[in-house]
């Protein structure tokens, strides 16, 4: 089961990613744009997720994903770390969120990062 240190290690391994404390919690940013946070007691993470996909995600795996009330108007979803299967799944979640925030110049250099394997 991944933990907050795994989130930090994997997030910081993604290109042009930095960690910054904001709202009293660690946030991870690509080229200055936030793509993940470790809210509250660092037992969950918040990541970018298109609104049209997140409802399906939450319905499919309600024990893993949920939408925080104050984030409902934004394209973010929460994931419980203790429900994430392994580091590979965590990496996929973080890379997908990274891809949504990354500027075009990074997506050009890393065209497959955050995309499902063929």
């Amino acid at each position: 089961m991944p933990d907050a240190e795994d989130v930090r290690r994997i997030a910081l391994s993604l290109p042009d990613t930095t960690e910054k404390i904001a709202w009293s919690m660690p946030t991870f940013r690509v080229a200055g744009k936030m793509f993940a946070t470790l809210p509250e007691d660092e037992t969950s993470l918040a990541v970018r997720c298109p609104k049209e996909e997140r409802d399906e995600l939450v319905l499919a795996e309600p024990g893993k994903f949920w939408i925080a009330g104050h984030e409902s108007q934004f394209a973010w979803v929460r994931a419980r770390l203790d429900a994430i299967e392994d580091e590979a799944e965590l990496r996929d979640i973080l890379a997908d969120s990274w891809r949504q925030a990354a500027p075009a110049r990074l997506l050009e250099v890393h065209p497959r990062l955050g995309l499902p394997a063929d």
Side-chain angles (χ1 to χ4, degrees):
M1 163 182 64
D3 62 17
E5 286 308 309
D6 295 320
V7 171
R8 182 171 282 109
R9 179 177 45 78
I10 292 169
L12 292 172
S13 75
L14 298 170
D16 205 13
T17 295
T18 57
E19 181 177 351
K20 178 181 179 181
I21 299 297
W23 306 287
S24 301
M25 71 178 122
T27 66
F28 301 92
R29 300 161 188 256
V30 55
K33 195 169 180 182
M34 191 165 43
F35 72 91
T37 69
L38 279 168
E40 290 95 31
D41 58 2
E42 299 185 359
T43 60
S44 67
L45 75 153
V47 291
R48 290 175 174 267
C49 184
K51 286 183 179 181
E52 58 275 4
E53 293 175 19
R54 71 179 184 175
D55 291 337
E56 287 181 33
L57 190 62
V58 170
L59 285 172
E61 297 186 80
K64 186 181 295 182
F65 298 104
W66 85 98
I67 301 166
H70 68 281
E71 295 169 345
S72 63
Q73 69 217 26
F74 304 106
W76 286 80
V77 68
R78 299 277 181 105
R80 292 172 182 83
L81 290 176
D82 64 1
I84 294 174
E85 291 181 31
D86 54 26
E87 283 193 26
E89 183 182 21
L90 177 59
R91 178 173 291 283
D92 288 347
I93 291 168
L94 287 167
D96 179 66
S97 187
W98 177 92
R99 183 171 190 76
Q100 293 174 60
R105 67 176 172 77
L106 285 175
L107 295 176
E108 288 173 15
V109 175
H110 306 281
R112 300 293 310 152
L113 185 60
L115 294 178
D118 292 332

